[in-house]
Amino acid sequence: MFSLSIQDDAICFKDIKIHDLPQILKWYNKIEDFKFATGIDTPITIDALTRKYAEVAICSNEFFCGIYIKNQDKMIGIIKGSLKYENRDAMWLSSIVIDTSYQNMGYGSAAVNLLLNH
């Protein structure tokens, strides 16, 4: 997995760890809230999510990060994607989720901008 442990004034990214998957599963299974953000339109199991995580973990060009409010230990969302081409001059963003209680506060925009500036 390509590590994206980066931060700005508002948020930080931390690489997803196996113990984060139960929280992420809750977001993935909130189909009506996040089906367009994740590409998942039917409920998935923890086993299916663990397999997806394992696929990302072994790929050096894939990233899967938790989005955190800076200086807080609460994950408020995720961002997932991959770097393309040998010199990593292109990126594919496959998922971005911000917990519904933190939406419309600028965290999603901040996450995308942090990633683009990196």
Side-chain angles (χ1 to χ4, degrees):
M1 182 175 352
F2 183 78
S3 181
L4 271 182
S5 294
I6 55 177
Q7 63 183 347
D8 66 9
D9 294 337
I11 61 169
C12 64
F13 294 163
K14 296 180 186 178
D15 295 334
I16 295 296
K17 305 294 184 204
I18 196 83
H19 67 268
D20 296 319
L21 296 182
Q23 173 58 49
I24 295 167
L25 182 68
K26 290 177 186 176
W27 289 324
Y28 272 47
N29 283 334
K30 289 180 84 175
I31 304 299
E32 289 308 308
D33 290 332
F34 299 121
K35 67 182 169 189
F36 298 114
T38 63
I40 305 289
D41 61 358
T42 58
I44 64 170
T45 65
I46 192 70
D47 291 336
L49 182 57
T50 301
R51 284 192 299 276
K52 285 180 174 292
Y53 172 76
E55 290 169 6
V56 170
I58 62 171
C59 292
S60 63
N61 67 322
E62 301 270 335
F63 59 88
F64 193 9
C65 301
I67 302 169
Y68 292 77
I69 298 172
K70 191 172 177 183
N71 300 323
Q72 294 187 21
D73 198 33
K74 180 175 175 42
M75 184 170 44
I76 64 163
I78 58 165
I79 194 162
K80 182 177 179 288
S82 61
L83 302 173
K84 301 294 183 186
Y85 307 111
E86 282 185 27
N87 58 359
R88 296 184 170 161
D89 62 354
M91 176 192 59
W92 178 260
L93 187 60
S94 59
S95 298
I96 183 167
V97 169
I98 301 294
D99 189 274
T100 53
S101 60
Y102 292 92
Q103 290 180 2
N104 299 311
M105 297 179 182
Y107 293 118
S109 297
V112 171
N113 287 328
L114 177 60
L115 187 57
L116 291 173
N117 291 331
H118 180 68

